[in-house]
């Protein structure tokens, strides 16, 4: 992810490294990718790699950050009163779009929603959910935001690891029902 103050050359180099990592992981598991293969594919020097990233896991999480943004946006792609039987089309598309890099996501998301990508997903989703809930004046924004983030990250990770069965469409509907239920549950 680039900031508005980042040098455009650095942003291009990081983008090349992220793209190279995704290309490498399309051919082999992350555990089998080497820094040497990555820098060769990205056509950058090894020292350049270490100027931008401390290790392959850092570049992998950065490369997958778009999936986190997509997940957060998909879960908030509805207006009005959400209906539990109708997930936003963006959520269905999100789950369907995970297939090309599912092995990489599994490497970064441990069952239950942990791992480096799970941490980023939980943090970003919790922040967005909390903000929207607080703006709407809904009760317990901190509690519900934590529950939404944990539920989504956990179910996503467990589905990717084969611990929860269903097609991408089925899991999108099931997750949506869970999250709508969390938002509607009356709290004392």
């Amino acid at each position: 992810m680039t900031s508005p103050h980042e040098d455009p050359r650095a942003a291009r180099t990081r983008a090349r490294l992220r793209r190279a990592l995704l290309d490498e992981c399309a051919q082999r598991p992350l555990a089998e990718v080497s820094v040497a293969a990555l820098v060769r594919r990205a056509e950058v020097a090894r020292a350049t790699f270490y100027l931008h990233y401390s290790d392959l896991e850092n570049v992998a999480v950065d490369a997958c950050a778009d999936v986190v943004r997509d997940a957060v946006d998909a879960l908030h792609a509805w207006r009005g009163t959400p209906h539990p039987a109708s997930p936003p089309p963006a959520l269905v598309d999100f789950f369907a779009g995970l297939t090309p890099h599912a092995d990489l996501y599994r490497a970064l998301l441990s069952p239950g929603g942990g791992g480096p990508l799970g941490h980023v997903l939980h943090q970003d989703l919790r922040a967005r959910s909390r903000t929207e809930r607080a703006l709407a004046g809904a009760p317990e924004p901190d509690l519900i935001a934590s529950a939404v983030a944990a539920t989504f990250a956990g179910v996503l990770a467990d589905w990717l690891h084969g611990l929860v069965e269903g097609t991408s469409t089925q899991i999108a509907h099931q997750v949506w029902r869970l999250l709508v239920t969390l938002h509607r549950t009356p709290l004392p």
Side-chain angles (χ1 to χ4, degrees), residues 80-124:
T81 302
H83 191 280
S86 302
L91 184 62
V92 176
D93 293 345
F94 166 76
F95 277 99
L98 292 174
T99 304
H101 298 293
D103 289 338
L104 178 58
Y105 302 141
R106 274 190 291 275
L108 299 171
L109 262 171
S110 57
L117 190 58
H119 175 73
V120 173
L121 176 59
H122 186 277
Q123 182 179 351
D124 288 2

Side-chain angles (χ1 to χ4, degrees), residues 61 64-76 91 94-95 98 105 108-110 112-129 145-146 148-158 160:
V61 171
C64 294
D66 284 341
V67 80
V68 169
R69 283 189 291 279
D70 290 347
V72 172
D73 289 344
L75 286 171
H76 293 89
L91 184 62
F94 166 76
F95 277 99
L98 292 174
Y105 302 141
L108 299 171
L109 262 171
S110 57
L117 190 58
H119 175 73
V120 173
L121 176 59
H122 186 277
Q123 182 179 351
D124 288 2
L125 183 53
R126 184 186 186 287
R128 175 89 171 263
S129 294
S146 290
V148 164
T151 298
F152 184 78
V155 171
L156 171 62
D158 286 357
L160 285 169

Side-chain angles (χ1 to χ4, degrees), residues 124-144:
D124 288 2
L125 183 53
R126 184 186 186 287
R128 175 89 171 263
S129 294
R130 192 221 176 281
T131 297
E132 290 196 7
R133 194 161 174 86
L135 286 173
E140 302 291 344
D142 291 320
L143 177 67
I144 299 300

Side-chain angles (χ1 to χ4, degrees), residues 30 38 47 73 75 78 114 117 146 161 167 188:
L30 178 62
L38 182 65
D73 289 344
L75 286 171
W78 57 273
L117 190 58
S146 290
H161 283 279
T167 66

Side-chain angles (χ1 to χ4, degrees), residues 6-18:
E6 184 176 18
D7 178 337
R9 293 171 298 175
R12 283 191 300 272
T13 299
R14 290 171 71 87
R16 286 173 72 178
L17 289 164
R18 290 190 303 267

